[in-house]
Amino acid sequence: MASHRRPKPPSRTRVTLLTTAAAAAVAFSANSANAAPSEKPTKDEVKSKVDKLYEEAEQATEAMNGAEEKAGKLQKEISTIQDNVARGQDELNQLRDSIGLAAAAQYRTGTIDSSVQLFLSSDPDSFLDRASTQDQLSAQQVEALKKIQEKQRQLAQQRAEASAKLADLSSTRAQLAKKKKEVQGKLADAQKLLNSLTAAEKAALAEQDNRASRDAGERVDLGNVGSASGRAGAAFAAAQTQLGKPYSYGATGTATYDCSGLTSWAYAQAGITIPRTSESQANIGTRIYNVNDLRVGDLVFFFNDLHHVALYAGNETVIHAPRTGTVVRYESMSTIGGPFMFGVRV
């Protein structure tokens, strides 16, 4: 006889899981149907993001420039110390040779030179004092031995100084490499965003930049450029000759420039050496906080951390190397992208 057992009903837990899964599937399907497709960022949105990346890249660039400048100074200092150590070692060897000759002469006569005892002594200073008091050494030998001891101390100090500076140089170079990588990463991200634009959108952005620069240039022509005087005027005139040169991070001319590279080059043409970075350039002259008090050729600083510098061109405009993808150009101070902090009269 066949079995007529009723099938075992599903457990309450299993029913709950199946019901929950089904509800989730329905909800997901409904949300997927109603979700709006992701929209491509507009040209202006891309420009805003790219400008921000360029600003961050310029911040890193100025830090990189500072590390590079410091590395160069450290390398020169280390070279000077190493040269001094080499000369000091030669002098020490000569002093030792003179003592050695005296010792050899006394050895041939069967006596033990006191200078040899000095080198074997565990306390050379005390021995030197006793030997001198007891007339065991000639005045000339005492003087030579004192010179040897002083030269040894000097060399030890110089070698320690060189070692410390070498460690600092290694750290600075590591920082330089890190900042360079950071700059390259920011620029790569900006380029990806720009590549998402159509050719027409890229052309529109380029024309927008060019138009702003032309407008600023016209304002410069109307401004009182004659207010520039002396070396500031010469620096400004030098910068004008570089209009149209491309921006390149870390560059100091004359093919390409970054912001502080242009200003330091321009003042160098006027016979004035100023520091390499914008932050350092902010501390070299008289600060001017009122735009109305600026004169053509003054250095002008932007952003709270002073990572951008330009040359004042009159009528609230500047000449500067703005950022990657641009050239040395005139620009209104109101369109720099960061607040005016102050000017510096060199």
Side-chain angles (χ1 to χ4, degrees), residues 19-71:
T19 303
T20 302
V26 171
F28 178 80
S29 177
N31 289 337
S32 298
N34 295 329
S38 59
E39 296 181 358
K40 176 185 174 184
T42 66
K43 170 174 64 68
D44 291 338
E45 288 173 338
V46 168
K47 183 180 185 305
S48 178
K49 291 178 181 179
V50 167
D51 286 347
K52 180 63 176 175
L53 285 167
Y54 281 153
E55 179 190 337
E56 292 170 353
E58 189 175 34
Q59 285 177 300
T61 294
E62 286 303 298
M64 183 186 75
N65 290 340
E68 190 168 23
E69 184 179 37
K70 181 181 178 182

Side-chain angles (χ1 to χ4, degrees), residues 60-290:
T61 294
E62 286 303 298
M64 183 186 75
N65 290 340
E68 190 168 23
E69 184 179 37
K70 181 181 178 182
K73 288 180 179 178
L74 283 170
Q75 189 62 68
K76 289 179 180 178
E77 291 170 1
I78 290 168
S79 296
T80 299
I81 294 172
Q82 289 175 334
D83 288 344
N84 291 338
V85 168
R87 284 193 296 271
Q89 188 63 54
D90 287 341
E91 293 173 10
L92 180 60
N93 291 340
Q94 291 174 10
L95 288 169
R96 283 173 169 167
D97 287 345
S98 67
I99 291 294
L101 290 173
Q106 291 191 13
Y107 177 76
R108 285 193 297 271
T109 64
T111 61
I112 300 177
D113 187 80
S114 298
S115 61
V116 176
Q117 297 179 46
L118 174 67
F119 287 121
L120 295 176
S121 172
S122 60
D123 189 355
D125 289 328
S126 297
F127 177 85
L128 188 60
D129 291 338
R130 291 197 308 273
S132 178
T133 301
Q134 298 169 9
D135 294 328
Q136 292 176 305
L137 296 175
S138 69
Q140 185 176 3
Q141 287 175 316
V142 169
E143 186 63 27
L145 289 168
K146 284 183 176 179
K147 286 182 179 179
I148 287 175
Q149 287 177 301
E150 179 59 27
K151 184 60 66 176
Q152 287 174 326
R153 282 192 285 264
Q154 288 178 359
L155 288 175
Q157 182 178 351
Q158 289 175 334
R159 287 189 176 108
E161 184 180 357
S163 178
K165 287 187 180 294
L166 282 168
D168 194 3
L169 178 60
S170 177
S171 174
T172 300
R173 283 177 171 164
Q175 180 188 9
L176 177 59
K178 179 181 177 181
K179 287 300 178 184
K180 186 174 291 187
K181 185 176 180 180
E182 183 179 343
V183 171
Q184 291 170 338
K186 299 289 185 186
L187 296 182
D189 290 343
Q191 190 58 54
K192 286 180 183 178
L193 283 170
L194 290 173
N195 289 342
S196 70
L197 297 176
T198 65
E201 288 172 328
K202 291 177 184 177
L205 285 180
E207 176 53 29
Q208 183 179 332
D209 261 0
N210 292 335
R211 184 169 58 252
S213 183
R214 285 196 302 269
D215 291 345
E218 290 173 1
R219 294 179 65 189
V220 170
D221 293 337
L222 296 174
N224 185 18
V225 177
S227 68
S229 61
R231 294 189 176 182
F236 179 76
Q240 285 181 305
T241 67
Q242 302 305 294
L243 286 167
K245 295 288 184 72
Y247 177 99
S248 179
Y249 73 89
T252 57
T254 56
T256 59
Y257 296 91
D258 63 17
C259 70
S260 56
L262 175 66
T263 51
S264 59
W265 178 87
Y267 266 93
Q269 308 319 297
I272 299 178
T273 299
I274 64 176
R276 171 66 180 90
T277 67
S278 59
E279 185 177 359
S280 296
Q281 290 177 13
N283 297 313
I284 61 173
T286 303
R287 291 191 176 184
I288 302 162
Y289 292 93
N290 191 325

